[in-house]
Each structure stands twice: as structure tokens, then as C-alpha cells.
Amino acid sequence: MPIPADARFWLARALGLWRRGWASLRTRGLRASWARLRAQFARRPAPTTVLWRPEPTPFAPFALATSGQPRASVVIPVHGAFPHTLACLRALAAHPPAVPFEVIVVDDASPDDTLARLGQVAGVRVHARATNGGFIAACNEGAALARGDWLVFLNNDTVPQPGWLDALLRTFDTQTDVGLVGAQLVYPDGRLQEAGGVVFADGAGWNYGRGEDPADCRYAYLRDADYLSGAAIALPRTLFERLGGFDMRYAPAYYEDTDLAFAVRAAGLRTLFQPAAVVAHDEGGTAGTDLASGPKAAQARNQAVFAAKWADALARQLPAGTLPTPARLHRDRPQVLVIDALTPQPDRDSGSVRLVNLMRLLRDEGAHVVFLPANRSADGAYTQALQALGIECWHAPWAPGIPAWLRAHGPRFHAAMVSRHYVASEVFPLLRRHAPQARLLFDTVDLHFLRERRAAELAGDAAALRAADATRARELALIGMADATFVVSDAERALLAREAPGARVRVLSNLHVLPAPGPGRAGRRDLLFVGGFRHPPNVDAVRWFVEAVFPRVRAALPGIGFHCIGGDVPPAIAALADIDGVQVHGHVPDLRPWLDGCVAAVAPLRYGAGVKGKVNEAMAHGLPVVGTPAAVEGMHLVDGHDVLVGADAEAFAAAIARLHGDADLWTRLARHGRDNVARHFSLDAARDVVRETFLAR
């Protein structure tokens, strides 16, 4: 009787953990292996919403730090209910945005002393209407007074949280074709009020996520939304003017924000929900919640007006009564699942840079990307960075065990890519069972068996060589199961042509977004190594360089220093800091000072596999590289043209001395290295492979 796919998953996981644990003990020792185990299974707490609220003290005059040359104009319509307005303005005063802003409060003939009190708040432009015209009229009049590039509409019964406005406006810089951005609205008790709105075919609206936890994976990522509540939205002022403002046919209020979102999309622009912009909203605090009477009664009437105006567009919406889910919300584009062992940390390792840029490229090509780490752990800012790109990230507690999660979500995917053989061994059977329609893609990251074999041969370790052969058998089996396999170099593809003839193997190498080049040769000094020390080849490389190469370099270039940067520093590497000229920095989140200040990057790897991100990154910044043959393997590099290569300690040291003393050579290598990255390791270089393997129908 065959073993069920779910049971095979747990068996494969147990066996894989045992194998990797034993291999880690052999190569890293007990202490480092235990640290890796703890990191693998750590359950980091999911993000939670902690709301800031102003103290409810009696009113006294105060000031807002507004600008006479604003880039953003915040328009707040008010009609009485001054305690709400006071809390809103106090929030803006206590946590002013970084962007220069102005605040325009439109008093819509308030029946209380609101107008008099507003006159005692410095930094606020107050526009008083003689008669009450309603929300739409007040917003349109406030917008006509605005001087900023962006218009921001904010309800007075809100308490905007620190950073809300900067997060809204940043969306226009980080995303393309954006016309309208809305905030994450939460109730005063922290529950989610709206993560963007859904509009059904009959024109009815749905506040997506109402009453749920804002950190729930379904709601915590940047997403195109059908509409965005006018309680907190931003758009270019020129666009609002071109669209004619809020449509007065919905006066006095309701459906004007939904109508605006449809008009923005009709103009060819996107309407985005931004979860990083958090605004507490006391829904109904000024207009009430009764749909049968009062201001809210207009909501039912205006639904019919809206449905008639946008009948053609509504025909493409979800049928009335449909339960919105992520699968349904992204039904108009291919949905791609990406699974890796951990959440990528692009400031710590090159594999993470590659994976994040691959997901960014998939998004650019029109796919909706879902990321699931095999450990199901939220990883703080790293998870949030993916969500800010519009990637739907799943983790505990909202993602149950992987078998259960795939049972629920498997049918939605057009393609599924799994990175690393030990993860793929666990989940491939589950994907074949629960997502049979999905194209199954195996990302080797690098060929693990090749790296293990080279390490074993260098160490003369027969047991490690047998372990490498076992890894080879597992990787080849997965290559046989996959619809396509990714390797990072032509050298590895040629190897698999011999090892796995007939397999569909594609090169999907390192992916880099080229930054502006660093400064020229003048003023630079010292040498740089970058690499995480959870990777054993990096430990071996630095020890060999410091012990065998660096003394020769110092003999030729007295006073030159060596900077060693990378996280998870083991004692053997930390001890090297006692050597004159060697600085061990550990993890550094921003490498720019060293990339701009060092004369060369060194890649002294004696074994390994794949393509070396440390080489790509230095070259992308215009920093020449001196490496070993193992470090530059498969990277389309030519010794003396775009890199210098030293096969042994003497040749490596001589190459450094040559580069240090030849400014013309330095300049040529810097220029050609950047050209190499643009030609072979940019997002454009991978675009055709991504289209053919992930997105082809």
C-alpha cells in the first residue's frame, strides 16, 4: 500500500533533518550546529498592531509642523464632533511626517465651536463653508486649495499612526503606474477594519479583512484593491483634477471613493492597498452606522448610481455573494508559489539577493507571487520587506503545517518553485498531490553534491565523499521529478547534461539590480571580503587567505588592511582579528562604505559550487575582484579583462599587488566587471527564462 503524500512529507522531513544535522556536526562542530538548529526552528512572533493614541487632555492651543512649500496636502473635512478632530490633529502634531506637508481643514458649517477651536491650532489652514454641503463638497473645495503634489484625504475621526503618510507616498516611488493608495484602517481596539475593498458585480462593497488580525497573512501585503476607503487615501493632485474630483452625483457622500478608484483604473493606473500606512478609524464616529436613516442612508441609493455608471467594469468583478480569498482576488494573473528553507535575508547572503530579485522579476512580469518558508516562521523586517513588494507571505500561526496549507492553497498555482534539495524532497510529493496543475520547478541554488564532493576531496575525507554521493542521488531524483530545474551557471548545466541526460535544465543565475557605480581609484585602500559564515567554503576561504596569502600581500604592500564582513562569525574567524591588519566586522547591513573605500574585493574560495554573489556584488558597484578559479567558475569572466585570478597563494598575492599599483588596469576591470553583471546577471538577462519556465501557458 503506497504511503500517503502527507505521511511521506513528515518522514522525508525527519530523515532530511537527521542527514543535515550529521553533516553539520562533521563540518561545523556541535556549537555551530546547535545554533543553526535553533535558528531553523525559532518561532519569531508575528507582527502585531500597537496603536498610538493622544492623551485625552482638555483642549489647549498647539501647533503642527507644517510647511509653506508642501509636497503633500492633507485635506480633512469636518462637521462638528470636535473631539475627533482634536485627536486627529494631535496625532499629526505628535508624529509629523518626514515629507513637507500642509493640513487643510474644511469646516462644513459645524454646529458647535469647531471653527473657533481650529483657529487656535497653528500650522493649519482652515476653510470655512457658509452652509453644510456634505463630505464630497467639502473634500473638493479643500482639494482646490491644495498646494502639494499629492492630495491626501483624511477623515477627522481617525488617528493616523506614526509613519503613515510617508508609507503612503513611498508607494508611488517603489511601484509603477500607481494612481491611488489607501491605508490599512484599524478599529481603535486594533482589529482590522479594512485591508482594501472588494467590489462585487452588483456594485456592493466588502471591507476585506473586517474584524481580523492586521498581521494575518491574507491582509499584510501590498495589494491591488478594487477600492480604498476615503478615510485615508493619497493620489497625485493633477490626477484628481484631471478626473474632475469626487463625482457630485454621489452627494452628499458614499461611493465617491469607490467611484474614484474605478476612474483611476479606467485611466490606466493602479489602486493599491498599503498595509505599512496604519490609520485608526472610529468608523461611524461622525456619520453614524444606520443605513436606514441619517447620512448613511445615501449608501444604498448611491450603490444603484454607481452600478449604472460602471456597468461594463462591474461585469468583470466577482459575483455577488462570493467569499473573497487571496486566490480569488488574484484570479486575473498567474499565481506562483515559491518555497525556500527560510525567509530570504538579502543583506546577509547572495542566495537571498537572487531569490528576492527573482520574485521581484516575477511580479514585474505580471505574476502574483506567494512565498512560504519551510520553517513557517515570520522573520520580522525581512518578511515585511517582501510584503512591501506585493508578495503574499505565509507563516505561523496563519499557515498551518505545510501539508494542510497545500491542501487548501495548492489548486490556485500556475507554477511552484522549491529551492534546495532537502526542502524539495519534502514537498515535491505534496505538490504533485495537491497542486497537480502547477508546473513543478526545482531550484538547486547551487549543486549541493558538487560543493560537498569538492570539500571532501580537498579534505581527503572518505566519509564526506560518500555523503556527497548520497546528496547526488537525491538531487538527481528531484531533477527527474521536476518539470524544469534551475542551475546558476553553464558549467553546472553542462555537468547535469552528463549526469541527468534528458532533464530540462535552465540557467537562472544570480540576479542583481545595478546600483550607481562607486568612486574611482583615487583615495581607495585595503581589501574586502564579504560572505556569511554559515557557509563552510567561506570559513575555509578566509582562513586560507589570512594564513597563506595576506602575509605575502603585506610584504609587497606594507600597511594594507583586510576587512572581513559576514554574519555568524565562528571562533576560528573571530580569532583572526588578532593578526595585524585584519579586521573582522561581522554582519554589516550597509556595505557601501567598504565597497566605495576599498581598492579590491577578494574571493579566495578553494572549493564550492554555483555562482558567487560576493563577486557579482563587488563588480556591480565598480569594485575590481581578485579571485581563485573556484570563485569565478561559470561567471563568464576573463582573467585580466574583468577579473584577476590567482590559483595559489603566491599568484593571488601577486594579482593584488598588480591591481593596487596599476590605476589603468583598475579602471578597466571596474568598467568591465559592471558590464559583465549587466550582461549576465541582471533582471533583464533572466527575463526570457522566467517567462518560459514560470509563466508560459
Side-chain angles (χ1 to χ4, degrees):
M1 181 177 179
I3 301 175
D6 290 13
R8 290 169 62 191
F9 167 82
W10 295 114
L11 179 61
R13 168 155 289 193
L15 290 173
L17 288 172
W18 183 87
R19 292 191 195 100
R20 297 200 305 279
W22 179 246
S24 183
L25 282 171
R26 291 179 58 85
T27 58
R28 299 182 177 90
L30 179 60
R31 181 177 176 182
S33 297
W34 176 245
R36 283 172 59 85
L37 185 67
R38 291 179 62 188
Q40 175 81 13
F41 290 99
R43 281 286 178 262
R44 299 170 181 86
T48 57
T49 301
V50 179
L51 297 180
W52 180 90
R53 292 195 69 84
E55 292 295 328
T57 56
F59 174 74
F62 63 98
L64 273 68
T66 50
S67 170
Q69 296 180 313
R71 296 195 64 201
S73 298
V74 181
V75 177
I76 306 175
V78 304
H79 178 68
F82 183 72
H84 283 296
T85 305
L86 177 60
C88 180
L89 294 177
R90 280 176 167 171
L92 294 173
H95 300 284
V99 64
F101 73 108
E102 66 176 349
V103 174
I104 302 169
V105 177
V106 181
D107 181 75
D108 196 17
S110 293
D112 56 11
D113 60 351
T114 289
L115 189 57
R117 296 287 185 91
L118 288 173
Q120 301 178 63
V121 181
V124 174
R125 297 175 62 195
V126 180
H127 173 67
R129 304 188 79 246
T131 59
N132 177 248
F135 180 85
I136 294 176
C139 285
N140 283 345
E141 286 193 15
L145 300 171
R147 298 172 295 184
D149 297 325
W150 286 288
L151 272 176
V152 183
F153 294 102
L154 184 67
N155 276 18
N156 72 318
D157 56 352
T158 62
V159 178
Q161 300 298 294
W164 72 286
L165 182 55
D166 298 308
L168 278 181
L169 300 185
R170 191 164 54 244
T171 314
F172 292 95
D173 297 327
T174 60
Q175 301 293 314
T176 58
D177 301 323
V178 182
L180 180 67
V181 182
Q184 179 192 84
L185 299 180
V186 297
Y187 289 107
D189 64 4
R191 290 177 301 123
L192 186 60
Q193 185 179 116
E194 177 190 303
V198 178
V199 177
F200 297 108
D202 64 352
W206 175 291
N207 298 111
Y208 187 54
R210 180 184 290 269
E212 302 282 358
D213 188 328
D216 189 315
C217 301
R218 294 172 291 177
Y219 315 120
Y221 61 98
L222 184 80
R223 179 179 62 80
D224 291 84
D226 292 341
Y227 79 91
L228 302 152
S229 171
I233 55 175
L235 74 165
R237 178 169 54 86
T238 54
L239 175 62
F240 188 75
E241 293 169 349
R242 176 156 55 93
L243 297 176
F246 285 123
D247 192 334
M248 287 300 295
R249 77 184 74 186
Y250 301 104
Y254 296 105
Y255 267 88
E256 73 286 336
D257 47 8
T258 312
D259 178 89
L260 178 65
F262 273 63
V264 167
R265 284 197 300 281
L269 299 171
R270 299 168 66 194
T271 54
L272 292 177
F273 160 68
Q274 175 54 270
V278 180
V279 173
H281 182 212
D282 187 6
E283 185 182 39
T286 54
T289 58
D290 185 359
L291 296 177
S293 63
K296 292 282 281 188
Q299 189 167 327
R301 176 185 66 82
N302 284 347
Q303 178 180 336
V305 175
F306 172 78
K309 178 179 179 180
W310 295 102
D312 291 343
L314 288 173
R316 298 185 291 273
Q317 298 299 112
L318 289 171
T322 303
L323 178 65
T325 63
R328 288 173 173 149
L329 295 181
H330 301 289
R331 65 195 180 279
D332 60 341
R333 58 179 60 190
Q335 299 185 45
V336 174
L337 173 64
V338 176
I339 301 177
D340 199 357
L342 306 170
T343 300
Q345 300 180 355
D347 62 342
R348 288 183 172 270
D349 64 87
S350 62
S352 292
V353 173
R354 171 178 176 267
L355 185 60
V356 170
N357 281 333
L358 172 58
M359 291 191 280
R360 181 181 282 116
L361 177 55
L362 284 165
R363 288 272 304 165
D364 291 348
E365 288 296 313
H368 173 62
V369 181
V370 180
F371 178 73
L372 176 67
N375 69 344
R376 297 186 303 114
S377 181
D379 205 357
Y382 296 110
T383 297
Q384 293 164 15
L386 294 181
Q387 293 168 330
L389 293 176
I391 295 167
E392 181 187 329
C393 298
W394 283 84
H395 51 77
W398 294 280
I402 290 178
W405 189 88
L406 285 175
R407 277 198 301 274
H409 291 268
R412 61 191 280 206
F413 296 115
H414 178 76
M417 186 190 83
V418 186
S419 295
R420 305 173 209 280
H421 72 88
Y422 50 85
V423 181
S425 296
E426 297 173 356
V427 301
F428 265 24
L430 291 172
L431 286 165
R432 283 300 190 206
R433 176 176 177 81
H434 300 305
Q437 80 293 337
R439 184 171 297 141
L440 192 57
L441 307 173
F442 175 38
D443 179 27
T444 62
V445 181
D446 60 28
L447 285 175
H448 286 54
F449 81 82
L450 179 61
R451 170 162 44 87
E452 292 175 10
R453 178 191 295 166
R454 288 172 170 174
E457 291 171 347
L458 184 65
D461 188 333
L465 193 58
R466 290 192 297 271
D469 289 339
T471 299
R472 172 184 173 277
R474 286 190 291 274
E475 286 190 294
L476 293 181
L478 292 164
I479 290 167
M481 292 176 62
D483 295 316
T485 294
F486 297 127
V487 294
V488 294
S489 71
D490 287 324
E492 291 190 348
R493 179 169 58 180
L495 173 63
L496 288 183
R498 299 189 299 270
E499 298 273 0
R504 188 183 183 205
V505 179
R506 301 300 304 271
V507 175
L508 184 59
S509 198
N510 287 356
L511 298 171
H512 293 271
V513 177
L514 264 73
R521 170 65 180 88
R524 290 176 176 267
R525 53 174 297 154
D526 294 347
L527 307 173
L528 172 66
F529 172 89
V530 178
F533 290 105
R534 287 189 296 180
H535 193 51
N538 288 340
V539 178
D540 176 81
V542 170
R543 292 186 64 180
W544 176 73
F545 179 81
V546 172
E547 294 167 1
V549 180
F550 195 52
R552 291 178 165 87
V553 175
R554 294 271 284 188
L557 303 170
I560 195 169
F562 172 58
H563 299 273
C564 176
I565 296 177
D568 305 291
V569 177
I573 297 298
L576 299 177
D578 294 334
I579 297 174
D580 189 33
V582 176
Q583 296 186 51
V584 178
H585 298 276
H587 170 64
V588 172
D590 182 9
L591 293 173
R592 175 64 77 168
W594 288 272
L595 292 168
D596 286 351
C598 288
V599 72
V602 296
L605 293 163
R606 296 198 296 168
Y607 71 94
V611 170
K612 312 307 180 292
K614 60 180 69 67
V615 173
N616 286 141
E617 183 172 25
M619 289 182 169
H621 282 82
L623 178 61
V625 173
V626 179
T628 58
V632 303
E633 179 185 50
M635 298 188 68
H636 313 281
L637 296 169
V638 176
D639 186 15
H641 179 76
D642 36 28
V643 70
L644 294 183
V645 180
D648 55 35
E650 185 174 350
F652 203 104
I656 292 172
R658 176 187 170 201
L659 177 65
H660 188 277
D662 189 336
D664 290 339
L665 173 64
W666 191 98
T667 301
R668 289 198 306 274
L669 292 179
R671 183 176 66 253
H672 294 160
R674 277 179 58 86
D675 291 345
N676 175 273
V677 175
R679 192 163 52 251
H680 299 291
F681 304 105
S682 65
L683 272 63
D684 283 340
R687 205 170 293 276
D688 288 343
V689 171
V690 165
R691 289 171 178 169
E692 293 166 11
T693 51
F694 285 92
L695 305 176
R697 294 292 182 180

